[in-house]
Amino acid sequence: MFDEKNVVYRYKYLPYSEGSLKALTESTIKFTCPLEFNDPFDCKPYYNTDKIHNVPSQRPDLFRAAGNRRGLSPAKRIQEKGKFTARLKKRITDGSFAASTISNIGVVSLSKNALNIPMWSHYADFHRGIVLEFRIPIKGNGSDLSRSLERLLPFPVIYHQQRPHIEIGTDKHDDLLNKIALTKSTDWLYEEEERVIDHERGPGIYHYSRDEILSSVVAGMNMKENNYANLQTIIEKISTGNELKPKLYKAQEKNDEYKLTVHGHPRLDE
């Protein structure tokens, strides 16, 4: 087990559903395509096309691949350079370029805050769902790095008032991950979001290291009694032989404030 100083605690809000419970019973979690996000601006930076005519020289790989898809010879590709940039500009303008860019990215959204009232309402079925607490290692050796997706190692989201700009046709490709997948409007600051990014497998439902990182489960304060009883059974089963021994807690309202608390929880009892 990783030392406490080498881990961070992050939280996943989920409704109480068959798919969500599989995160507990089957150690699987959904990596969502950004096209499914509720924010229409998410993962869609502004693409500046003022220098788009430079793309064939700056990104010959893209230019060559586009020509190959159309069955063009090298000479014919050069002749149709203008048509290539015109088609690319049209795809940027109509949004299809942005959609294709993010369609093969899978994202698990986590939060630094397990007690956010709007998030319980929006993502955990009006406080009838659950929050999973993950104890995620942030330090290790090379073998640990290769398991970063299994352990749901997240990147922090950057919040800005302005959309990030990507200059099409320049050789500046620094910080593309931040600009495309990790930047959101300041309107979403309250979520305190961090993201696990999978650009190799893409969207899908994948195994994660439940027995290594699942620290606790918090039930919503409005969860139905029979659902809570079922959760208790599940947690008891998966805790057997598990070094972390995740526990089940229940969120409660504070009497004198618009706040939640989780009595007895080592980090959420406020």
Side-chain angles (χ1 to χ4, degrees), residues 13 38 111 113-127 131 187-192 221 258-260:
Y13 290 80
N38 58 2
S111 177
N113 186 351
L115 302 175
N116 186 285
I117 294 174
M119 298 235 341
W120 273 101
S121 297
H122 298 158
Y123 302 115
D125 191 25
F126 307 103
H127 299 254
V131 161
D187 290 337
W188 300 91
L189 258 170
Y190 72 94
E191 292 189 342
E192 299 183 59
M221 65 179 184
Y258 288 119
K259 288 185 178 180
L260 296 172

Side-chain angles (χ1 to χ4, degrees), residues 103-116:
S103 62
N104 293 319
I105 296 176
V107 178
V108 174
S109 294
L110 305 177
S111 177
K112 296 166 68 175
N113 186 351
L115 302 175
N116 186 285

Side-chain angles (χ1 to χ4, degrees), residues 136-252:
I136 302 172
I138 56 174
K139 291 185 178 180
N141 53 34
S143 62
D144 293 313
L145 182 62
S146 67
R147 299 189 58 210
S148 60
L149 283 177
E150 290 180 60
R151 292 171 173 166
L152 303 182
L153 181 66
F155 296 92
V157 167
I158 305 160
Y159 296 95
H160 279 301
Q161 291 186 335
Q162 301 295 324
R163 293 170 75 173
H165 285 207
I166 292 180
E167 306 293 329
I168 301 294
T170 74
D171 58 354
K172 297 177 181 179
H173 298 288
D174 298 338
D175 228 14
L176 277 184
L177 178 64
N178 284 342
K179 289 184 176 181
I180 294 175
L182 293 172
T183 302
K184 295 182 68 172
S185 165
T186 52
D187 290 337
W188 300 91
L189 258 170
Y190 72 94
E191 292 189 342
E192 299 183 59
E193 184 180 0
E194 297 191 348
R195 288 178 169 177
V196 188
I197 307 292
D198 191 335
H199 52 76
E200 295 179 357
R201 297 174 302 182
I205 297 174
Y206 303 114
H207 175 271
Y208 78 98
S209 299
R210 181 198 67 190
D211 292 348
E212 195 173 13
I213 69 169
L214 180 65
S215 179
S216 72
V217 177
V218 181
M221 65 179 184
N222 292 331
M223 177 174 283
K224 297 177 181 178
E225 290 184 9
N226 59 322
N227 289 345
Y228 188 79
N230 186 43
L231 269 181
Q232 286 180 308
T233 301
I234 292 172
I235 297 301
E236 288 173 6
K237 183 176 181 180
I238 67 175
S239 293
T240 303
N242 185 326
E243 189 175 6
L244 276 183
K245 296 191 181 303
K247 294 182 179 180
L248 177 62
Y249 299 88
K250 192 166 186 178
Q252 297 177 328

